[in-house]
Structure formats: structure tokens, C-alpha cells
Amino acid sequence: MLDRAGILARVPHQGPMCLWDEVSGWDVQGIRLRAWNHAHPSHPLRARGRLHALALCEYGAQAMAVHGGLLAAGQGGRAAAGVLVALRDVVLAVDRIDGLAGALEGEAELVAASGSSQQYVFRIHHDGRLLASGRAAAMLGGGLPG
């Protein structure tokens, strides 16, 4: 439904730091996406040549950003920049993801939103297996109050 260029037009993450390659479906409550970059040696989140499963939390957070961008575009605007402020109930089923062949498939569901914050539940799958799940919260407007 939306390719990488369309994603790049809607999120602040650019170049290789934009982790998702395509949107496979979305509505006002959630989004489904795919990525193939996790096995690439130059992945920006690799450390010492490895991509730890903790990086899946960033995939989840970026799924939120893509969904927010699509919602804002549907209303004729752009999404406010956000800052990830909390991760809760994160469960990782693997240690690393750099050795997985094929696509990562992600989904994020909006559970609460206001003008200044959003909360989502995210899940990342590979080949039908749940790799990561959790809940993420972001403050909108580019920073924390105060």
C-alpha cells in the first residue's frame, strides 16, 4: 500500500535510520509493515557486527511514527515530531535478528492518543513467529515538557 519513498515522506527518520520498507496495510487504529534490512551488514543499529533483538523496540517505535504520519496526511497535515519516552511490557523471544532470512513483519495498534502524546502496542514477527512485543509511549511536539 505504501513503499519506502512514501514512508520517508512521512517520518523524521531518513536514510538507513528509516527501518521500515513498506506498509502492507493500515487504518485509523493500526498499521502493518515489512522490512528486510535487519540482515544487512551496514544496519545502523548493529553493534560489534551484531543486531540485538532490542533493536525491535526501535522498529516498534518507528511503526508508531509511520502510522502517525499517515493519520496526519489523511487530515492534510504532517505529524508532529515525537520523542519515545517509555517502553513497557517488552518481551523478546530471540537474542539477535541479524541472521534471520526474509522479512520482518510489524504491527502497531493505537491504544491512546492526545494532542501531546500517543501510546501503542507493537508486535514484530518473522516467518510466523512472534519475536518481540511491547507497549510504547511518545510525547509529541519534539520534546518533553518543562
PDB file of all heavy atoms in Angstrom, residues 38-39 46 51 96-101 126:
ATOM      1  N   HIS A  38      17.254  -5.923   8.317  1.00  0.00           N
ATOM      2  CA  HIS A  38      17.855  -6.438   9.551  1.00  0.00           C
ATOM      3  C   HIS A  38      19.076  -7.323   9.314  1.00  0.00           C
ATOM      4  O   HIS A  38      19.933  -7.441  10.188  1.00  0.00           O
ATOM      5  CB  HIS A  38      16.810  -7.206  10.372  1.00  0.00           C
ATOM      6  CG  HIS A  38      16.183  -8.316   9.618  1.00  0.00           C
ATOM      7  ND1 HIS A  38      15.213  -8.098   8.658  1.00  0.00           N
ATOM      8  CD2 HIS A  38      16.397  -9.645   9.649  1.00  0.00           C
ATOM      9  CE1 HIS A  38      14.852  -9.262   8.141  1.00  0.00           C
ATOM     10  NE2 HIS A  38      15.559 -10.214   8.721  1.00  0.00           N
ATOM     11  N   ALA A  39      19.170  -7.940   8.158  1.00  0.00           N
ATOM     12  CA  ALA A  39      20.305  -8.821   7.865  1.00  0.00           C
ATOM     13  C   ALA A  39      21.462  -8.078   7.188  1.00  0.00           C
ATOM     14  O   ALA A  39      22.532  -8.653   6.999  1.00  0.00           O
ATOM     15  CB  ALA A  39      19.849  -9.982   6.982  1.00  0.00           C
ATOM     16  N   ARG A  46      23.427  -1.926  14.353  1.00  0.00           N
ATOM     17  CA  ARG A  46      24.357  -3.017  14.661  1.00  0.00           C
ATOM     18  C   ARG A  46      25.441  -2.528  15.609  1.00  0.00           C
ATOM     19  O   ARG A  46      25.900  -1.390  15.514  1.00  0.00           O
ATOM     20  CB  ARG A  46      25.028  -3.543  13.396  1.00  0.00           C
ATOM     21  CG  ARG A  46      24.205  -4.560  12.666  1.00  0.00           C
ATOM     22  CD  ARG A  46      25.026  -5.131  11.502  1.00  0.00           C
ATOM     23  NE  ARG A  46      24.219  -6.078  10.780  1.00  0.00           N
ATOM     24  CZ  ARG A  46      24.480  -7.371  10.731  1.00  0.00           C
ATOM     25  NH1 ARG A  46      25.526  -7.873  11.342  1.00  0.00           N
ATOM     26  NH2 ARG A  46      23.699  -8.176  10.046  1.00  0.00           N
ATOM     27  N   LEU A  51      23.176  -7.506  15.415  1.00  0.00           N
ATOM     28  CA  LEU A  51      21.949  -6.733  15.616  1.00  0.00           C
ATOM     29  C   LEU A  51      21.121  -7.433  16.683  1.00  0.00           C
ATOM     30  O   LEU A  51      20.508  -8.471  16.443  1.00  0.00           O
ATOM     31  CB  LEU A  51      21.162  -6.602  14.308  1.00  0.00           C
ATOM     32  CG  LEU A  51      19.941  -5.687  14.362  1.00  0.00           C
ATOM     33  CD1 LEU A  51      20.314  -4.284  14.834  1.00  0.00           C
ATOM     34  CD2 LEU A  51      19.275  -5.619  12.993  1.00  0.00           C
ATOM     35  N   ARG A  96      19.143 -12.231  18.916  1.00  0.00           N
ATOM     36  CA  ARG A  96      19.628 -11.471  17.766  1.00  0.00           C
ATOM     37  C   ARG A  96      18.671 -11.649  16.600  1.00  0.00           C
ATOM     38  O   ARG A  96      17.976 -12.655  16.507  1.00  0.00           O
ATOM     39  CB  ARG A  96      21.005 -11.971  17.352  1.00  0.00           C
ATOM     40  CG  ARG A  96      22.067 -11.711  18.377  1.00  0.00           C
ATOM     41  CD  ARG A  96      23.372 -12.388  18.039  1.00  0.00           C
ATOM     42  NE  ARG A  96      23.837 -12.127  16.686  1.00  0.00           N
ATOM     43  CZ  ARG A  96      24.893 -12.745  16.144  1.00  0.00           C
ATOM     44  NH1 ARG A  96      25.569 -13.641  16.834  1.00  0.00           N
ATOM     45  NH2 ARG A  96      25.262 -12.469  14.919  1.00  0.00           N
ATOM     46  N   ILE A  97      18.722 -10.660  15.671  1.00  0.00           N
ATOM     47  CA  ILE A  97      17.876 -10.755  14.479  1.00  0.00           C
ATOM     48  C   ILE A  97      18.673 -10.666  13.188  1.00  0.00           C
ATOM     49  O   ILE A  97      18.105 -10.822  12.110  1.00  0.00           O
ATOM     50  CB  ILE A  97      16.756  -9.689  14.488  1.00  0.00           C
ATOM     51  CG1 ILE A  97      17.321  -8.270  14.530  1.00  0.00           C
ATOM     52  CG2 ILE A  97      15.807  -9.941  15.651  1.00  0.00           C
ATOM     53  CD1 ILE A  97      16.283  -7.178  14.339  1.00  0.00           C
ATOM     54  N   ASP A  98      19.978 -10.462  13.248  1.00  0.00           N
ATOM     55  CA  ASP A  98      20.778 -10.281  12.045  1.00  0.00           C
ATOM     56  C   ASP A  98      20.899 -11.546  11.203  1.00  0.00           C
ATOM     57  O   ASP A  98      21.180 -11.463  10.015  1.00  0.00           O
ATOM     58  CB  ASP A  98      22.166  -9.737  12.388  1.00  0.00           C
ATOM     59  CG  ASP A  98      22.844 -10.501  13.504  1.00  0.00           C
ATOM     60  OD1 ASP A  98      22.363 -10.419  14.640  1.00  0.00           O
ATOM     61  OD2 ASP A  98      23.853 -11.179  13.238  1.00  0.00           O
ATOM     62  N   GLY A  99      20.661 -12.709  11.752  1.00  0.00           N
ATOM     63  CA  GLY A  99      20.769 -13.950  10.995  1.00  0.00           C
ATOM     64  C   GLY A  99      19.458 -14.448  10.406  1.00  0.00           C
ATOM     65  O   GLY A  99      19.425 -15.517   9.800  1.00  0.00           O
ATOM     66  N   LEU A 100      18.395 -13.681  10.539  1.00  0.00           N
ATOM     67  CA  LEU A 100      17.085 -14.113  10.033  1.00  0.00           C
ATOM     68  C   LEU A 100      16.930 -13.758   8.561  1.00  0.00           C
ATOM     69  O   LEU A 100      17.137 -12.611   8.170  1.00  0.00           O
ATOM     70  CB  LEU A 100      15.958 -13.439  10.832  1.00  0.00           C
ATOM     71  CG  LEU A 100      15.954 -13.687  12.338  1.00  0.00           C
ATOM     72  CD1 LEU A 100      14.861 -12.870  12.998  1.00  0.00           C
ATOM     73  CD2 LEU A 100      15.783 -15.170  12.630  1.00  0.00           C
ATOM     74  N   ALA A 101      16.584 -14.748   7.746  1.00  0.00           N
ATOM     75  CA  ALA A 101      16.345 -14.510   6.322  1.00  0.00           C
ATOM     76  C   ALA A 101      14.882 -14.135   6.111  1.00  0.00           C
ATOM     77  O   ALA A 101      14.004 -14.610   6.820  1.00  0.00           O
ATOM     78  CB  ALA A 101      16.680 -15.766   5.527  1.00  0.00           C
ATOM     79  N   HIS A 126       8.528 -12.750  12.543  1.00  0.00           N
ATOM     80  CA  HIS A 126       9.357 -13.226  11.443  1.00  0.00           C
ATOM     81  C   HIS A 126       8.922 -14.651  11.121  1.00  0.00           C
ATOM     82  O   HIS A 126       8.898 -15.503  12.012  1.00  0.00           O
ATOM     83  CB  HIS A 126      10.843 -13.211  11.821  1.00  0.00           C
ATOM     84  CG  HIS A 126      11.704 -13.805  10.758  1.00  0.00           C
ATOM     85  ND1 HIS A 126      12.086 -15.121  10.776  1.00  0.00           N
ATOM     86  CD2 HIS A 126      12.217 -13.274   9.630  1.00  0.00           C
ATOM     87  CE1 HIS A 126      12.815 -15.369   9.714  1.00  0.00           C
ATOM     88  NE2 HIS A 126      12.915 -14.264   8.996  1.00  0.00           N
TER      89      HIS A 126
END
